[in-house]
Amino acid sequence: MISFSRAARASDAFLSLSSLACDGPLALARSHVFHLDPDPQIGAILHNAGVGAARYNSILYQSRFSEELPYFRPDLVVIDFGTNDYLYEDKMLPELESEIRKVIKKVKEAAPDASIILTTVQDLYWKDRNCKAAIPFAEMILRIAKETQCGVYDWFWISGGQTSLKKWFEAGLARKDLSLIHISEPTR
């Protein structure tokens, strides 16, 4: 999950990547700061609260999320999960929609003035098998966004839809580790 806020002062115009507190095995504490804009009056702050391989429900287990998110006074919260919610079994668990709605509710309660953007997930391959659950996942995200008045970045269709990741790979813009999951910097 990523939140964006305007810099409170001109001297605060920077890009900050940091994680909100997370208990248990996903505990993570890191922070990186990067300059974002040469004009300090335009500055923005980016907080990345994600943990690699996290699922939507991971936010529901962050004990201090509701306490810490308001500290950042976000104008925009991008909820960018989904890959690990259906990748391995190529199906969505019945509770996924409820978990997504609970995450949206939690964000709205903690940052009522923030806009929220949900994202769909790009095309994926697991063990050389195309994940067909990407289409129903994208349809679900679009429906939930409409019903909860959230914005959407429809990465699935913008990136080319079903089986498009192979084209990204052939163009040198995706990497194949165990499977074909992630886009990357050009390899050629």
Side-chain angles (χ1 to χ4, degrees):
M1 177 168 338
I2 302 169
S3 65
F4 292 90
S5 3
R6 286 187 298 269
R9 299 180 311 269
S11 61
D12 291 337
F14 60 85
L15 174 65
S16 170
L17 301 173
S18 62
S19 295
L20 295 174
C22 181
D23 295 333
L26 296 179
L28 179 66
R30 63 187 164 107
S31 179
H32 308 281
V33 178
F34 303 93
H35 181 69
L36 177 65
D37 194 301
D39 181 356
Q41 299 300 319
I42 298 176
I45 302 170
L46 168 75
H47 298 277
N48 180 350
V51 177
R55 297 176 183 225
Y56 258 98
N57 68 5
S58 66
I59 293 297
L60 302 176
Y61 295 106
Q62 290 189 9
S63 63
R64 296 192 317 236
F65 177 87
S66 297
E67 171 189 333
E68 293 182 355
L69 183 60
Y71 170 79
F72 298 109
R73 297 187 321 265
D75 295 305
L76 173 66
V77 176
V78 179
I79 304 174
D80 186 19
F81 290 97
T83 299
N84 296 296
D85 287 291
Y86 69 82
L87 173 67
Y88 308 106
E89 302 297 324
D90 195 16
K91 66 179 181 180
M92 297 183 304
L93 297 176
E95 62 270 14
L96 180 58
E97 181 169 345
S98 173
E99 291 170 349
I100 293 169
R101 290 179 183 278
K102 287 176 185 174
V103 168
I104 293 167
K105 183 178 186 228
K106 193 169 189 171
V107 170
K108 286 184 174 186
E109 288 173 351
D113 295 328
S115 297
I116 298 173
I117 293 179
L118 305 177
T119 63
T120 61
V121 176
Q122 73 199 31
D123 182 46
L124 303 167
Y125 286 78
W126 179 247
K127 297 183 179 178
D128 295 321
R129 186 177 41 93
N130 185 253
C131 293
K132 307 289 187 227
I135 291 175
F137 180 79
E139 291 169 349
M140 180 180 63
I141 290 294
L142 292 168
R143 182 174 41 78
I144 291 171
K146 183 177 182 180
E147 292 170 1
T148 59
Q149 299 182 333
C150 293
V152 176
Y153 182 79
D154 194 352
W155 178 232
F156 180 73
W157 292 110
I158 289 170
S159 65
Q162 199 77 45
T163 70
S164 64
L165 198 54
K166 282 196 174 188
K167 294 175 187 169
W168 287 75
F169 179 72
E170 290 165 4
L173 297 171
R175 69 176 189 263
K176 187 169 184 177
D177 298 325
L178 295 174
S179 289
L180 191 55
I181 300 171
H182 302 288
I183 60 168
S184 63
E185 294 184 30
T187 57
R188 296 178 188 160

